[in-house]
Short mmCIF file of all heavy atoms in Angstrom, two decimals:
data_model
loop_
_atom_site.label_atom_id
_atom_site.label_comp_id
_atom_site.label_asym_id
_atom_site.label_seq_id
_atom_site.Cartn_x
_atom_site.Cartn_y
_atom_site.Cartn_z
N GLN A 52 21.62 19.88 -49.36
CA GLN A 52 21.21 19.70 -50.75
C GLN A 52 21.45 20.95 -51.61
O GLN A 52 21.48 20.85 -52.84
CB GLN A 52 19.73 19.34 -50.82
CG GLN A 52 19.42 17.98 -50.25
CD GLN A 52 17.93 17.70 -50.19
OE1 GLN A 52 17.12 18.58 -50.47
NE2 GLN A 52 17.56 16.49 -49.80
N ALA A 53 21.63 22.10 -50.98
CA ALA A 53 21.76 23.36 -51.73
C ALA A 53 23.10 23.37 -52.49
O ALA A 53 24.14 22.99 -51.97
CB ALA A 53 21.67 24.54 -50.80
N ASP A 54 23.03 23.86 -53.76
CA ASP A 54 24.22 23.94 -54.57
C ASP A 54 24.82 25.34 -54.57
O ASP A 54 26.04 25.50 -54.64
CB ASP A 54 23.90 23.54 -56.03
CG ASP A 54 23.54 22.07 -56.14
OD1 ASP A 54 24.05 21.26 -55.33
OD2 ASP A 54 22.72 21.71 -57.02
N SER A 55 23.97 26.36 -54.47
CA SER A 55 24.46 27.73 -54.54
C SER A 55 24.85 28.24 -53.14
O SER A 55 24.35 27.78 -52.12
CB SER A 55 23.39 28.65 -55.14
OG SER A 55 22.29 28.75 -54.27
N THR A 56 25.71 29.23 -53.15
CA THR A 56 26.14 29.84 -51.89
C THR A 56 25.00 30.58 -51.23
O THR A 56 24.85 30.55 -50.01
CB THR A 56 27.31 30.81 -52.15
OG1 THR A 56 28.35 30.11 -52.86
CG2 THR A 56 27.88 31.35 -50.87
N THR A 57 24.18 31.23 -52.03
CA THR A 57 23.03 31.97 -51.50
C THR A 57 22.07 31.01 -50.78
O THR A 57 21.57 31.32 -49.70
CB THR A 57 22.29 32.71 -52.63
OG1 THR A 57 23.23 33.50 -53.37
CG2 THR A 57 21.20 33.58 -52.08
N GLY A 58 21.82 29.90 -51.39
CA GLY A 58 20.93 28.91 -50.78
C GLY A 58 21.50 28.39 -49.46
O GLY A 58 20.78 28.22 -48.47
N LYS A 59 22.82 28.14 -49.46
CA LYS A 59 23.44 27.66 -48.23
C LYS A 59 23.37 28.71 -47.13
O LYS A 59 23.15 28.38 -45.96
CB LYS A 59 24.89 27.26 -48.48
CG LYS A 59 25.01 25.96 -49.24
CD LYS A 59 26.42 25.41 -49.14
CE LYS A 59 26.55 24.13 -49.89
NZ LYS A 59 26.11 22.97 -49.17
N VAL A 60 23.54 29.98 -47.48
CA VAL A 60 23.46 31.06 -46.48
C VAL A 60 22.05 31.16 -45.92
O VAL A 60 21.85 31.26 -44.69
CB VAL A 60 23.93 32.41 -47.08
CG1 VAL A 60 23.59 33.57 -46.16
CG2 VAL A 60 25.42 32.38 -47.38
N ILE A 61 21.04 31.12 -46.80
CA ILE A 61 19.65 31.23 -46.34
C ILE A 61 19.29 30.05 -45.44
O ILE A 61 18.72 30.24 -44.35
CB ILE A 61 18.69 31.33 -47.54
CG1 ILE A 61 18.88 32.68 -48.24
CG2 ILE A 61 17.24 31.13 -47.11
CD1 ILE A 61 18.14 32.80 -49.54
N TRP A 62 19.63 28.83 -45.85
CA TRP A 62 19.30 27.67 -45.03
C TRP A 62 20.14 27.65 -43.74
O TRP A 62 19.68 27.16 -42.71
CB TRP A 62 19.48 26.37 -45.81
CG TRP A 62 18.40 26.19 -46.82
CD1 TRP A 62 18.53 26.19 -48.18
CD2 TRP A 62 17.00 26.02 -46.55
NE1 TRP A 62 17.31 26.02 -48.77
CE2 TRP A 62 16.34 25.92 -47.79
CE3 TRP A 62 16.24 25.95 -45.39
CZ2 TRP A 62 14.97 25.73 -47.90
CZ3 TRP A 62 14.87 25.76 -45.50
CH2 TRP A 62 14.25 25.66 -46.75
N GLY A 63 21.35 28.17 -43.82
CA GLY A 63 22.18 28.28 -42.61
C GLY A 63 21.58 29.25 -41.60
O GLY A 63 21.57 28.97 -40.39
N ILE A 64 21.04 30.38 -42.08
CA ILE A 64 20.39 31.34 -41.19
C ILE A 64 19.13 30.73 -40.58
O ILE A 64 18.88 30.86 -39.37
CB ILE A 64 20.07 32.64 -41.95
CG1 ILE A 64 21.37 33.38 -42.27
CG2 ILE A 64 19.14 33.54 -41.14
CD1 ILE A 64 21.20 34.56 -43.20
N LEU A 65 18.34 30.03 -41.40
CA LEU A 65 17.14 29.37 -40.87
C LEU A 65 17.51 28.28 -39.85
O LEU A 65 16.82 28.10 -38.82
CB LEU A 65 16.30 28.78 -41.99
CG LEU A 65 15.49 29.80 -42.81
CD1 LEU A 65 14.82 29.09 -43.98
CD2 LEU A 65 14.47 30.48 -41.94
N GLY A 66 18.59 27.58 -40.12
CA GLY A 66 19.05 26.57 -39.17
C GLY A 66 19.52 27.20 -37.86
O GLY A 66 19.26 26.65 -36.78
N PHE A 67 20.18 28.34 -37.95
CA PHE A 67 20.60 29.05 -36.74
C PHE A 67 19.40 29.53 -35.94
O PHE A 67 19.40 29.44 -34.71
CB PHE A 67 21.50 30.24 -37.11
CG PHE A 67 22.00 30.98 -35.91
CD1 PHE A 67 22.96 30.43 -35.08
CD2 PHE A 67 21.48 32.23 -35.60
CE1 PHE A 67 23.42 31.11 -33.97
CE2 PHE A 67 21.93 32.91 -34.49
CZ PHE A 67 22.90 32.35 -33.67
N ILE A 68 18.36 29.99 -36.63
CA ILE A 68 17.13 30.41 -35.94
C ILE A 68 16.49 29.20 -35.25
O ILE A 68 16.06 29.28 -34.09
CB ILE A 68 16.15 31.08 -36.92
CG1 ILE A 68 16.71 32.42 -37.38
CG2 ILE A 68 14.78 31.25 -36.30
CD1 ILE A 68 15.95 33.05 -38.52
N GLY A 69 16.43 28.07 -35.94
CA GLY A 69 15.88 26.85 -35.33
C GLY A 69 16.69 26.40 -34.12
O GLY A 69 16.14 26.00 -33.10
N LEU A 70 18.02 26.48 -34.24
CA LEU A 70 18.88 26.11 -33.11
C LEU A 70 18.70 27.06 -31.94
O LEU A 70 18.65 26.63 -30.78
CB LEU A 70 20.34 26.10 -33.57
CG LEU A 70 21.37 25.71 -32.52
CD1 LEU A 70 21.16 24.26 -32.11
CD2 LEU A 70 22.77 25.92 -33.05
N SER A 71 18.57 28.35 -32.22
CA SER A 71 18.37 29.33 -31.16
C SER A 71 17.07 29.10 -30.40
O SER A 71 17.03 29.17 -29.17
CB SER A 71 18.37 30.75 -31.73
OG SER A 71 19.60 31.02 -32.35
N THR A 72 16.00 28.82 -31.13
CA THR A 72 14.72 28.58 -30.45
C THR A 72 14.74 27.24 -29.71
O THR A 72 14.08 27.11 -28.67
CB THR A 72 13.55 28.64 -31.44
OG1 THR A 72 13.76 27.70 -32.49
CG2 THR A 72 13.38 30.02 -32.01
N ALA A 73 15.48 26.26 -30.22
CA ALA A 73 15.59 24.99 -29.51
C ALA A 73 16.34 25.18 -28.19
O ALA A 73 15.94 24.62 -27.16
CB ALA A 73 16.30 23.95 -30.37
N VAL A 74 17.38 25.99 -28.21
CA VAL A 74 18.13 26.26 -26.98
C VAL A 74 17.26 27.07 -26.01
O VAL A 74 17.32 26.86 -24.79
CB VAL A 74 19.45 26.99 -27.30
CG1 VAL A 74 20.11 27.52 -26.04
CG2 VAL A 74 20.39 26.06 -28.04
N ALA A 75 16.44 27.96 -26.52
CA ALA A 75 15.57 28.76 -25.67
C ALA A 75 14.49 27.91 -25.00
O ALA A 75 13.96 28.29 -23.95
CB ALA A 75 14.91 29.87 -26.47
N ASN A 76 14.18 26.77 -25.56
CA ASN A 76 13.16 25.89 -25.01
C ASN A 76 13.77 24.74 -24.21
O ASN A 76 13.20 23.65 -24.15
CB ASN A 76 12.27 25.34 -26.13
CG ASN A 76 11.32 26.37 -26.66
OD1 ASN A 76 10.70 27.08 -25.90
ND2 ASN A 76 11.24 26.46 -27.97
N MET A 77 14.89 24.97 -23.56
CA MET A 77 15.53 23.93 -22.77
C MET A 77 14.69 23.42 -21.59
O MET A 77 14.87 22.30 -21.17
CB MET A 77 16.89 24.39 -22.26
CG MET A 77 17.98 24.21 -23.26
SD MET A 77 18.07 22.48 -23.72
CE MET A 77 19.32 22.54 -24.93
#
Side-chain angles (χ1 to χ4, degrees):
Q52 292 174 354
D54 293 330
S55 67
T56 306
T57 308
K59 286 196 181 277
V60 168
I61 291 172
W62 287 114
I64 291 171
L65 285 174
F67 181 72
I68 291 170
L70 181 65
S71 299
T72 57
V74 169
N76 286 315
M77 276 302 177

